[in-house]
Amino acid sequence: MSDSATPVQAPAPDALELAALLCSRVCHDLISPVGAIVNGLEVLDDSNKQEDKDFALDLIRKSAKTASARLQFCRLAFGAAGSAGAQIDLGDAQNMARGHLEDEKTKISWNLPRLLLAKNRVKLLLNMLIIAQQTIPRGGTLTIDPVGEGDNLSFRVIAAGLNVRTPQAIVDMLSGKHSGPIESHGVQPYYTRLLAEASGLTVSLAPEGDTLVVSAV
């Protein structure tokens, strides 16, 4: 007798499909600030009022800064970021993370040493931060602690905030228990699992007291 409750896992995306899904994810992240820049330029073209021009310029400045921060973060989190075997400075990763993820609602407590680390481990860390941020929709604190040391350094990202939530779809994607095809909204946690596997680690998302912890061990 078959177990009808057991989900049937769809085939993993091939290299071309994975690249397309990640590109869709990056485009999704950039549409909002780039669209705001376009709207600001339209206001400058259509209005002669000084208050409208001041508003438009402020919108353009803020949106351009946001777009630049997201591009730099995505280049490190999803891009090649150097040749095979390259190492990345954790200090650069910290700057990218703060520029993209920190705002008036969300703060980062970075407890990692400054050192060069294999690029896949740094990419893994940045993707773990994306996942952790999604668990605190109303903002809070993301605390990054080291696990181990040296070339084997790994990470724990602790998400604390109001109404912290566990997205089951992400838990399943990280554990490999998801069913159905990988789509653009789910490719990021799937990619996070691939980065962990490439680094000889296992990544997970689980509650710990009043917090949620994304860990790679």
Coordinates of all heavy atoms in Angstrom, one line a residue, residues 82-150:
G82 N 34.6 36.6 -8.5 CA 36.0 36.1 -8.6 C 36.1 34.7 -9.2 O 35.1 34.1 -9.5
S83 N 37.3 34.3 -9.5 CA 37.5 33.0 -10.1 C 37.3 31.9 -9.2 O 37.1 32.0 -8.0 CB 38.9 33.0 -10.7 OG 39.9 33.1 -9.6
A84 N 37.3 30.7 -9.8 CA 37.1 29.4 -9.0 C 38.2 29.4 -7.9 O 39.4 29.7 -8.2 CB 37.2 28.2 -9.9
G85 N 37.8 29.1 -6.7 CA 38.8 29.0 -5.6 C 39.1 30.3 -4.9 O 39.9 30.4 -4.0
A86 N 38.4 31.4 -5.4 CA 38.7 32.8 -4.9 C 38.2 32.9 -3.5 O 37.3 32.1 -3.0 CB 38.0 33.8 -5.8
Q87 N 38.8 33.8 -2.7 CA 38.3 34.1 -1.4 C 37.8 35.5 -1.3 O 38.2 36.4 -2.1 CB 39.5 34.0 -0.4 CG 40.0 32.5 -0.2 CD 41.1 32.4 0.8 OE1 42.1 33.2 0.8 NE2 41.0 31.5 1.7
I88 N 36.9 35.8 -0.4 CA 36.2 37.1 -0.2 C 36.4 37.6 1.2 O 36.4 36.8 2.1 CB 34.7 37.0 -0.6 CG1 34.5 36.6 -2.0 CG2 34.0 38.3 -0.3 CD1 33.1 36.3 -2.4
D89 N 36.7 38.8 1.3 CA 36.9 39.5 2.6 C 35.5 39.5 3.4 O 34.6 40.1 2.8 CB 37.5 40.8 2.4 CG 38.0 41.5 3.7 OD1 37.4 41.2 4.8 OD2 39.0 42.2 3.7
L90 N 35.5 39.0 4.6 CA 34.2 39.1 5.3 C 33.9 40.5 5.7 O 32.7 40.9 5.9 CB 34.3 38.3 6.6 CG 34.1 36.8 6.5 CD1 34.3 36.1 7.8 CD2 32.7 36.5 5.9
G91 N 34.9 41.4 5.7 CA 34.6 42.8 5.9 C 33.8 43.4 4.8 O 32.9 44.2 5.0
D92 N 34.1 43.0 3.5 CA 33.3 43.5 2.4 C 31.9 42.9 2.4 O 30.9 43.6 2.1 CB 34.0 43.0 1.1 CG 35.3 43.7 0.8 OD1 35.5 44.8 1.4 OD2 36.1 43.1 0.1
A93 N 31.8 41.6 2.9 CA 30.4 41.0 3.0 C 29.6 41.8 4.0 O 28.4 42.0 3.8 CB 30.6 39.6 3.4
Q94 N 30.2 42.2 5.1 CA 29.5 43.0 6.1 C 29.0 44.3 5.6 O 27.9 44.7 5.8 CB 30.4 43.3 7.3 CG 29.8 44.1 8.4 CD 30.7 44.4 9.6 OE1 31.9 44.1 9.5 NE2 30.2 45.0 10.6
N95 N 29.9 45.0 4.8 CA 29.4 46.3 4.2 C 28.3 46.1 3.3 O 27.3 46.9 3.3 CB 30.6 46.9 3.5 CG 31.7 47.4 4.4 OD1 31.5 47.6 5.6 ND2 32.9 47.5 3.9
M96 N 28.3 45.0 2.5 CA 27.2 44.8 1.5 C 25.9 44.4 2.3 O 24.8 44.9 1.9 CB 27.6 43.6 0.6 CG 28.8 43.8 -0.2 SD 28.7 45.3 -1.3 CE 30.4 45.3 -2.0
A97 N 26.1 43.6 3.3 CA 24.9 43.2 4.1 C 24.2 44.4 4.8 O 23.0 44.6 4.7 CB 25.3 42.2 5.1
R98 N 25.0 45.3 5.4 CA 24.5 46.5 6.0 C 23.8 47.4 5.0 O 22.7 47.9 5.2 CB 25.6 47.2 6.8 CG 26.1 46.4 8.0 CD 26.9 47.3 8.9 NE 27.5 46.6 10.0 CZ 26.9 46.3 11.1 NH1 25.7 46.7 11.3 NH2 27.5 45.6 12.1
G99 N 24.5 47.6 3.8 CA 23.9 48.5 2.8 C 22.6 48.0 2.3 O 21.7 48.8 2.0
H100 N 22.4 46.7 2.2 CA 21.2 46.1 1.6 C 20.1 45.9 2.6 O 18.9 46.1 2.3 CB 21.5 44.9 0.8 CG 20.3 44.2 0.3 ND1 19.3 44.8 -0.4 CD2 20.0 42.8 0.3 CE1 18.4 43.9 -0.8 NE2 18.8 42.7 -0.4
L101 N 20.5 45.3 3.8 CA 19.5 44.8 4.7 C 19.1 45.7 5.9 O 18.0 45.6 6.4 CB 19.9 43.4 5.3 CG 20.2 42.3 4.2 CD1 20.7 41.1 4.9 CD2 18.9 42.0 3.5
E102 N 20.0 46.6 6.3 CA 19.8 47.5 7.4 C 18.9 48.6 7.0 O 19.1 49.2 5.9 CB 21.1 48.0 8.0 CG 21.7 47.0 9.1 CD 22.7 47.7 9.9 OE1 23.5 48.5 9.4 OE2 22.7 47.4 11.1
D103 N 17.9 49.0 7.8 CA 17.1 50.2 7.6 C 16.6 50.6 9.0 O 17.1 50.2 10.0 CB 16.0 49.9 6.7 CG 15.1 48.7 7.1 OD1 15.0 48.4 8.3 OD2 14.4 48.1 6.2
E104 N 15.6 51.5 9.0 CA 15.1 52.0 10.3 C 14.4 50.9 11.1 O 14.3 51.0 12.3 CB 14.1 53.1 10.1 CG 12.8 52.7 9.4 CD 12.9 52.7 7.8 OE1 14.1 52.9 7.3 OE2 11.9 52.5 7.2
K105 N 14.1 49.7 10.5 CA 13.4 48.7 11.2 C 14.3 47.5 11.6 O 14.1 46.8 12.6 CB 12.2 48.1 10.4 CG 11.1 49.1 10.2 CD 9.9 48.4 9.6 CE 10.2 47.6 8.4 NZ 9.0 46.8 7.9
T106 N 15.3 47.2 10.7 CA 16.1 46.0 10.9 C 17.6 46.4 11.1 O 18.2 47.2 10.3 CB 16.0 45.2 9.6 OG1 14.6 44.8 9.4 CG2 16.8 43.9 9.8
K107 N 18.2 45.9 12.1 CA 19.6 46.1 12.5 C 20.4 44.8 12.4 O 19.8 43.7 12.7 CB 19.7 46.8 13.8 CG 19.0 48.1 13.9 CD 19.4 49.1 12.9 CE 18.6 50.4 13.0 NZ 18.9 51.3 11.8
I108 N 21.7 45.0 12.1 CA 22.6 43.8 12.1 C 23.6 43.9 13.2 O 24.3 44.9 13.4 CB 23.3 43.7 10.7 CG1 22.2 43.4 9.6 CG2 24.4 42.7 10.7 CD1 22.8 43.4 8.2
S109 N 23.8 42.8 13.9 CA 24.8 42.6 14.9 C 25.8 41.6 14.4 O 25.6 40.4 14.3 CB 24.3 42.2 16.3 OG 25.3 42.0 17.2
W110 N 27.0 42.1 13.9 CA 28.0 41.3 13.2 C 29.1 40.9 14.1 O 29.9 41.7 14.5 CB 28.5 42.1 12.0 CG 29.3 41.4 11.0 CD1 30.7 41.1 11.1 CD2 28.9 40.9 9.8 NE1 31.1 40.5 10.0 CE2 30.1 40.3 9.2 CE3 27.7 40.8 9.1 CZ2 30.0 39.7 7.9 CZ3 27.7 40.2 7.8 CH2 28.8 39.6 7.3
N111 N 29.2 39.6 14.5 CA 30.2 39.2 15.4 C 31.2 38.3 14.8 O 31.8 37.5 15.5 CB 29.5 38.4 16.5 CG 28.5 39.3 17.3 OD1 28.7 40.4 17.5 ND2 27.3 38.7 17.6
L112 N 31.5 38.5 13.5 CA 32.4 37.6 12.8 C 33.8 38.3 12.7 O 33.9 39.6 12.6 CB 32.0 37.3 11.4 CG 30.6 36.6 11.2 CD1 30.3 36.4 9.7 CD2 30.6 35.3 12.0
P113 N 34.9 37.6 12.7 CA 36.2 38.2 12.5 C 36.4 38.6 11.1 O 35.7 38.1 10.2 CB 37.1 37.0 12.8 CG 36.4 35.8 12.5 CD 34.9 36.1 12.8
R114 N 37.3 39.6 10.9 CA 37.6 40.0 9.5 C 38.7 39.1 9.0 O 39.8 39.2 9.4 CB 38.0 41.5 9.5 CG 38.3 41.9 8.0 CD 38.1 43.4 7.8 NE 38.1 43.7 6.4 CZ 37.7 44.9 5.9 NH1 37.3 45.9 6.7 NH2 37.7 45.1 4.6
L115 N 38.3 38.3 8.0 CA 39.3 37.4 7.3 C 38.8 37.0 6.0 O 37.7 37.3 5.6 CB 39.5 36.2 8.2 CG 38.3 35.3 8.7 CD1 37.7 34.5 7.6 CD2 38.7 34.4 9.8
L116 N 39.7 36.5 5.2 CA 39.4 36.0 3.8 C 38.8 34.6 4.0 O 39.4 33.7 4.7 CB 40.6 36.0 2.9 CG 41.2 37.3 2.6 CD1 42.5 37.2 1.8 CD2 40.2 38.1 1.7
L117 N 37.7 34.3 3.3 CA 37.0 33.0 3.4 C 36.6 32.6 1.9 O 36.4 33.5 1.1 CB 35.8 33.2 4.3 CG 35.3 31.9 4.9 CD1 36.3 31.2 5.8 CD2 34.0 32.2 5.7
A118 N 36.6 31.3 1.7 CA 36.1 30.8 0.4 C 34.9 31.4 0.0 O 33.9 31.6 0.8 CB 36.0 29.3 0.5
K119 N 34.8 31.8 -1.3 CA 33.7 32.6 -1.8 C 32.3 31.9 -1.6 O 31.3 32.6 -1.3 CB 33.9 32.9 -3.3 CG 33.7 31.8 -4.3 CD 33.8 32.3 -5.7 CE 33.6 31.2 -6.7 NZ 33.6 31.7 -8.1
N120 N 32.3 30.6 -1.7 CA 31.0 29.9 -1.5 C 30.5 30.0 -0.1 O 29.3 30.1 0.1 CB 31.0 28.5 -2.0 CG 30.9 28.3 -3.5 OD1 30.5 29.2 -4.2 ND2 31.3 27.1 -4.0
R121 N 31.4 30.1 0.9 CA 31.0 30.2 2.3 C 30.4 31.6 2.5 O 29.5 31.8 3.2 CB 32.1 29.9 3.2 CG 32.4 28.4 3.3 CD 33.4 28.1 4.4 NE 33.6 26.6 4.4 CZ 33.3 25.8 5.4 NH1 32.9 26.3 6.5 NH2 33.6 24.5 5.3
V122 N 31.1 32.6 1.9 CA 30.6 34.0 2.0 C 29.3 34.2 1.3 O 28.3 34.8 1.9 CB 31.6 35.0 1.5 CG1 31.1 36.4 1.6 CG2 33.0 34.8 2.2
K123 N 29.1 33.6 0.1 CA 27.8 33.7 -0.6 C 26.7 33.0 0.3 O 25.6 33.4 0.3 CB 28.0 33.0 -1.9 CG 28.8 33.8 -2.9 CD 29.4 33.0 -4.0 CE 28.4 32.4 -5.0 NZ 27.9 33.5 -5.9
L124 N 27.1 31.8 0.9 CA 26.2 31.1 1.8 C 25.7 32.0 2.9 O 24.5 32.1 3.2 CB 26.8 29.9 2.3 CG 26.1 29.1 3.4 CD1 24.7 28.6 2.9 CD2 26.9 28.0 4.0
L125 N 26.7 32.7 3.5 CA 26.3 33.6 4.6 C 25.3 34.7 4.2 O 24.3 35.0 4.9 CB 27.6 34.3 5.2 CG 27.4 35.5 6.1 CD1 26.6 35.1 7.4 CD2 28.7 36.1 6.5
L126 N 25.6 35.3 3.1 CA 24.7 36.4 2.6 C 23.3 35.8 2.3 O 22.3 36.5 2.6 CB 25.3 37.1 1.4 CG 26.6 37.8 1.6 CD1 27.1 38.5 0.3 CD2 26.4 38.9 2.7
N127 N 23.2 34.7 1.7 CA 21.9 34.1 1.5 C 21.2 33.6 2.7 O 20.0 33.7 2.8 CB 22.1 32.9 0.5 CG 22.2 33.3 -1.0 OD1 21.2 33.5 -1.6 ND2 23.4 33.5 -1.4
M128 N 22.0 33.2 3.8 CA 21.4 32.9 5.1 C 20.8 34.2 5.6 O 19.7 34.1 6.3 CB 22.4 32.3 6.0 CG 22.9 30.9 5.6 SD 24.4 30.4 6.6 CE 23.7 30.4 8.3
L129 N 21.4 35.3 5.4 CA 20.9 36.6 5.9 C 19.6 37.0 5.3 O 18.6 37.5 5.9 CB 21.9 37.7 5.7 CG 23.0 37.8 6.8 CD1 24.1 38.7 6.3 CD2 22.5 38.2 8.1
I130 N 19.5 36.7 3.9 CA 18.2 37.0 3.2 C 17.1 36.2 3.8 O 16.0 36.7 4.1 CB 18.4 36.6 1.7 CG1 19.4 37.6 1.1 CG2 17.0 36.7 1.0 CD1 19.7 37.2 -0.4
I131 N 17.3 34.9 4.1 CA 16.3 34.0 4.7 C 15.9 34.5 6.1 O 14.8 34.6 6.4 CB 16.8 32.6 4.7 CG1 16.9 32.0 3.3 CG2 16.0 31.7 5.6 CD1 17.6 30.7 3.2
A132 N 16.9 34.8 6.9 CA 16.6 35.3 8.2 C 15.8 36.6 8.2 O 14.9 36.7 9.0 CB 18.0 35.5 9.0
Q133 N 16.1 37.5 7.3 CA 15.3 38.7 7.2 C 13.9 38.4 6.9 O 13.0 39.2 7.4 CB 15.9 39.6 6.2 CG 15.2 41.0 6.1 CD 15.5 41.7 4.8 OE1 15.6 41.1 3.7 NE2 15.6 43.0 4.8
Q134 N 13.6 37.4 6.2 CA 12.2 37.1 5.8 C 11.4 36.6 7.0 O 10.2 36.6 6.9 CB 12.2 36.1 4.7 CG 12.7 36.6 3.4 CD 12.7 35.5 2.3 OE1 11.7 34.9 2.0 NE2 13.9 35.2 1.8
T135 N 12.1 36.2 8.0 CA 11.3 35.7 9.2 C 10.9 36.8 10.2 O 10.2 36.5 11.1 CB 12.2 34.7 10.0 OG1 13.3 35.4 10.6 CG2 12.7 33.6 9.1
I136 N 11.4 38.0 9.9 CA 11.0 39.2 10.8 C 10.4 40.3 9.9 O 11.0 41.3 9.7 CB 12.2 39.7 11.6 CG1 13.5 39.9 10.8 CG2 12.5 38.7 12.8 CD1 14.6 40.5 11.5
P137 N 9.2 40.1 9.4 CA 8.6 41.0 8.5 C 8.3 42.4 9.1 O 8.3 43.4 8.4 CB 7.2 40.4 8.1 CG 6.9 39.4 9.2 CD 8.3 38.9 9.7
R138 N 8.3 42.5 10.4 CA 8.1 43.8 11.1 C 9.4 44.4 11.6 O 9.4 45.4 12.3 CB 7.1 43.7 12.2 CG 5.7 43.3 11.7 CD 4.7 43.2 12.9 NE 4.5 44.5 13.6 CZ 3.8 44.7 14.6 NH1 3.1 43.7 15.1 NH2 3.7 45.9 15.2
G139 N 10.5 43.8 11.2 CA 11.8 44.3 11.6 C 12.3 43.6 12.9 O 11.6 42.9 13.6
G140 N 13.5 43.9 13.2 CA 14.2 43.4 14.4 C 15.7 43.4 14.3 O 16.2 44.3 13.7
T141 N 16.3 42.3 14.8 CA 17.8 42.3 14.8 C 18.2 40.9 14.2 O 17.7 39.9 14.5 CB 18.3 42.4 16.3 OG1 17.9 43.6 16.8 CG2 19.8 42.3 16.2
L142 N 19.2 41.0 13.4 CA 19.9 39.8 12.8 C 21.3 39.8 13.4 O 22.1 40.7 13.2 CB 20.0 39.9 11.3 CG 18.7 40.1 10.5 CD1 18.9 40.3 9.0 CD2 17.8 38.9 10.7
T143 N 21.5 38.7 14.2 CA 22.8 38.6 14.9 C 23.6 37.4 14.2 O 23.0 36.3 14.1 CB 22.6 38.2 16.4 OG1 21.9 39.3 17.0 CG2 23.9 38.1 17.1
I144 N 24.8 37.7 13.7 CA 25.6 36.7 13.0 C 26.7 36.3 13.9 O 27.6 37.1 14.3 CB 26.1 37.3 11.7 CG1 25.0 37.8 10.8 CG2 26.9 36.2 11.0 CD1 24.8 39.3 10.8
D145 N 26.7 35.0 14.3 CA 27.8 34.5 15.2 C 28.6 33.5 14.4 O 28.1 32.8 13.5 CB 27.2 33.8 16.4 CG 26.5 34.8 17.4 OD1 27.0 36.0 17.4 OD2 25.6 34.5 18.0
P146 N 29.9 33.4 14.8 CA 30.7 32.4 14.1 C 30.5 31.0 14.7 O 30.2 30.8 15.8 CB 32.2 32.9 14.4 CG 32.0 33.6 15.7 CD 30.6 34.2 15.7
V147 N 30.8 30.0 13.8 CA 30.8 28.6 14.2 C 32.1 28.0 13.7 O 32.4 28.0 12.5 CB 29.6 27.8 13.7 CG1 29.8 26.3 14.1 CG2 28.3 28.3 14.1
G148 N 33.0 27.6 14.6 CA 34.3 27.2 14.2 C 35.2 28.3 13.9 O 35.0 29.5 14.4
E149 N 36.3 28.1 13.2 CA 37.3 29.1 13.0 C 38.1 28.8 11.7 O 38.1 27.7 11.1 CB 38.2 29.3 14.2 CG 39.0 28.0 14.5 CD 39.8 28.2 15.8 OE1 39.7 29.2 16.5 OE2 40.6 27.2 16.1
G150 N 38.9 29.8 11.3 CA 39.8 29.7 10.1 C 39.0 29.4 8.9 O 37.9 29.8 8.6

